[in-house]
Amino acid sequence: KYLMVNMGVMATITQSIDAETGVRVAEAFGRQVRRGREEDEGEGEDGEEELSVLTEGYGWEEEDAASLLPRAPVVTIMGHVDHGKTSLLDAVRESSVATGEAGGITQHIGAYQVTHADRTITFIDTPGHAAFSEMRARGANVTDLVVLVVAADEGVKEQTIDSIRCAKQAHVPILLAVNKVDKPGADPSRVTQELMKYDVLLEEYGGDVLSAEVSAKKRLNLDGLLEKILLQAEILDLKANPNRSAVGAVVESRMEKGLGPVTTVLVQKGTLRVGDCIVAGAAYGKVRSLTDERGKRLETAGPSVPAVLSGWDGVPAAGDTLIVVESEMQARNVAEARRRLERERSGSATMGSMQAQVLSIFGTDGVKQRQEVTVVIKADVQGSAEAIATAVSAIHVEDDRAEVGVKVLSSGVGDVTQNDVALAGVSQATILAFNVAADMNAQEEARKTGVEIEYHTVIYDILDKLEAKVQEILSPTP
Ligand code: GDP
């Protein structure tokens, strides 16, 4: 993300970048960099330099290209309500159950895999852009491609547009599924025309968006859709290193009788094994069992594989990153440290600073005091960042003793980075993230320092919240 936003380089986690770029990114995140093969520099002029970025075990270090192997694409279905997202997910799943291995009742676990032409596709089972944005806001970018479902009889609607925006913002390619082609009023060509306005340009019009016309209800052309997904996956050249400790994303969590907290985890890299010591959010544990959606026991789960996992001491949240650590003790230490920080943040940190601000308003000299709420703004586009900065700067309340306003410490474009958090930390500012996420290092830094990151998708919500906050500082509710 840093690469894309700050340096204009398009790369996903699993792609290789050149050494220079790597060093700059690492340094931007305050990391040290050790170059491999320093001693024999000059020998291989055009030889690739091995780069090892010394991270702190979050699995974000650059992978050696030779260790990367192809993995299944992870697909999220989005689109307007009632356009057939759920029907399509069900139809695809059922058609694969019919042809694939029979037996066992399939459970809804939050993600499932189908096999088509000997290749596997992973579907995230919670359709819609809300879940997608929520996961992303927590740092989990699991989706490789978005299937945008548009009903052929209704065309582009509000949530269609939202979905397009979400996918574009996340730099995830869109594949169009024109659904309900069985209906009398179906007009697929109208759909493709309408989509042009939103910069979704199909192949046949010179764009790069693949599409399929389907009917989820009548099971028409589902194979065609799967083929297009596999084609898009091939273009994306998705790879991961299966031979390392696992890093994954929590897709769903629930309590289950006899097993305690149970989560569905989508492995992103490495291989998860029974017996691994794990941490996600403030929960930790040791993998007691791994099962697939049919309840079949698994010994291991590799990249792009969703697995139901038990063995937790607490309940991690959807979107939390799962990592594997060396020992149960280490897992517990990490989780406990995070819990402590959460307690501090929700307890003394917020209340304490609020009280301190209130106290400082009322000076003893009878002169009107001025108090400021400081914010750092990060937004998806420059226009939004500026609009928010202008709007929040105008917030101001006062009475005969004091006045309270909002101070914008900085405003910029792109995901929240560690630098933003550090900046906010120094001035006890709140970070307002508008249609952007916080990267992993930023989240970690925020946890450590207690800096609050607020995620918003509506400017009015930001204003409402800030207005309430300054009002509360001026005249606290008893
Ligand atoms: P979602 O809100 O996007 O998940 O939409 P649903 O999958 O719940 O579908 C909404 C309605 O459209 C349901 O009544 C479905 O039976 C119907 N539907 C879904 N796909 C098709 C289709 O291909 N053809 C027709 N005629 N109806 C469909």
Side-chain angles (χ1 to χ4, degrees):
K1 273 180 284 188
Y2 181 86
L3 282 174
M4 287 190 281
V5 174
N6 298 29
M7 302 173 74
V9 177
M10 295 291 281
T12 62
I13 295 174
T14 51
Q15 268 168 334
S16 305
I17 50 175
D18 63 64
E20 273 318 310
T21 312
V23 171
R24 282 171 61 190
V25 173
E27 283 168 359
F29 284 100
R31 303 288 195 218
Q32 294 169 50
V33 173
R34 175 164 49 87
R35 288 275 185 95
R37 296 181 31 192
E38 201 110 64
E39 53 291 315
D40 52 46
E41 225 170 42
E43 269 181 33
E45 294 86 354
D46 57 352
E48 287 171 36
E49 281 176 295
E50 189 197 323
L51 173 75
S52 57
V53 180
L54 306 177
T55 56
E56 286 159 6
Y58 248 110
W60 283 70
E61 66 276 14
E62 191 61 22
E63 295 275 355
D64 184 358
S67 62
L68 299 176
L69 295 177
R71 63 174 178 84
V74 179
V75 178
T76 295
I77 296 194
M78 293 198 212
H80 195 67
V81 64
D82 278 347
H83 280 198
K85 299 180 292 292
T86 312
S87 305
L88 198 56
L89 276 165
D90 289 347
V92 166
R93 186 206 316 251
E94 277 161 32
S95 65
S96 89
V97 172
T99 56
E101 64 242 62
I105 300 158
T106 59
Q107 255 192 308
H108 168 100
I109 63 165
Y112 67 83
Q113 289 198 305
V114 299
T115 306
H116 182 80
D118 290 331
R119 287 164 64 194
T120 308
I121 303 169
T122 305
F123 282 91
I124 299 289
D125 210 355
T126 322
H129 60 275
F132 177 84
S133 300
E134 173 79 28
M135 292 270 286
R136 231 173 78 78
R138 298 187 69 90
N141 294 314
V142 297
T143 303
D144 299 309
L145 99 99
V146 163
V147 168
L148 180 68
V149 178
V150 185
D153 57 336
E154 290 204 352
V156 172
K157 294 275 179 193
E158 191 193 334
Q159 287 157 17
T160 315
I161 300 163
D162 284 346
S163 302
I164 294 168
R165 209 190 60 195
C166 283
K168 286 194 182 269
Q169 207 175 286
H171 302 277
V172 175
I174 290 171
L175 192 151
L176 176 66
V178 181
N179 190 31
K180 307 200 187 184
V181 292
D182 60 296
K183 284 186 102 172
D187 186 358
S189 64
R190 196 188 96 200
V191 173
T192 52
Q193 288 294 329
E194 285 178 346
L195 284 171
M196 285 187 184
K197 270 192 276 181
Y198 303 96
D199 215 16
V200 176
L201 203 56
L202 298 200
E203 262 198 317
E204 48 262 51
Y205 296 103
D208 56 3
V209 176
L210 305 180
S211 73
E213 292 178 13
V214 299
S215 165
K217 194 171 183 179
K218 296 270 159 66
R219 311 274 151 107
L220 296 176
N221 199 30
L222 298 180
D223 281 355
L225 175 64
L226 297 181
E227 267 151 36
K228 290 288 168 70
I229 292 173
L230 289 170
L231 184 60
Q232 179 73 67
E234 227 166 80
I235 296 166
L236 294 172
D237 192 25
L238 304 166
K239 289 182 173 164
N241 176 7
N243 299 309
R244 47 159 292 150
S245 58
V247 176
V250 174
V251 176
E252 256 188 35
S253 276
R254 61 183 181 280
M255 291 296 285
E256 209 158 278
K257 246 170 126 182
L259 286 174
V262 165
T263 59
T264 300
V265 169
L266 182 64
V267 176
Q268 292 172 286
K269 54 162 76 176
T271 298
L272 191 61
R273 297 188 156 74
V274 172
D276 276 349
C277 298
I278 48 175
V279 187
Y284 77 97
K286 188 168 181 164
V287 180
R288 179 146 36 113
S289 66
L290 285 173
T291 51
D292 68 8
E293 55 157 349
R294 296 189 180 87
K296 200 178 86 189
R297 277 186 177 272
L298 307 169
E299 277 308 308
T300 63
S304 297
V305 174
V308 179
L309 182 164
S310 73
W312 295 103
D313 82 310
V315 190
D320 277 342
T321 297
L322 170 140
I323 54 167
V324 171
V325 295
E326 307 245 302
S327 66
E328 235 173 325
M329 171 121 88
Q330 201 184 352
R332 193 178 61 220
N333 289 342
V334 172
E336 277 176 357
R338 287 178 179 176
R339 276 173 216 182
R340 244 192 333 271
L341 284 163
E342 269 174 25
R343 269 199 305 276
E344 280 166 18
R345 272 187 63 188
S346 59
S348 59
T350 47
M351 277 316 293
S353 64
M354 183 76 92
Q355 272 158 7
Q357 284 173 325
V358 172
L359 286 177
S360 69
I361 294 175
F362 303 109
T364 49
D365 49 8
V367 180
K368 206 173 202 175
Q369 295 288 307
R370 179 164 169 85
Q371 183 69 23
E372 277 163 338
V373 173
T374 42
V375 296
V376 169
I377 298 165
K378 288 307 284 279
D380 52 346
V381 291
Q382 189 61 34
S384 304
E386 279 165 17
I388 294 166
T390 309
V392 302
S393 303
I395 294 175
H396 179 91
V397 289
E398 64 179 303
D399 61 16
D400 46 3
R401 287 188 304 168
E403 53 180 321
V404 187
V406 177
K407 182 177 172 193
V408 178
L409 210 56
S410 86
S411 85
V413 173
D415 283 348
V416 178
T417 64
Q418 198 174 21
N419 288 342
D420 298 322
V421 179
L423 175 70
V426 175
S427 311
Q428 291 175 319
T430 300
I431 298 178
L432 305 173
F434 182 74
N435 283 333
V436 292
D439 69 43
M440 198 73 73
N441 293 314
Q443 290 184 39
E444 198 51 24
E445 181 82 14
R447 268 197 198 113
K448 271 190 229 147
T449 55
V451 167
E452 201 180 337
I453 305 176
E454 281 182 18
Y455 300 98
H456 292 278
T457 52
V458 181
I459 292 184
Y460 286 112
D461 288 348
I462 297 178
L463 301 181
D464 282 349
K465 217 168 161 185
L466 270 177
E467 267 156 15
K469 198 167 183 175
V470 294
Q471 192 60 54
E472 174 69 20
I473 292 171
L474 183 70
S475 44
T477 43

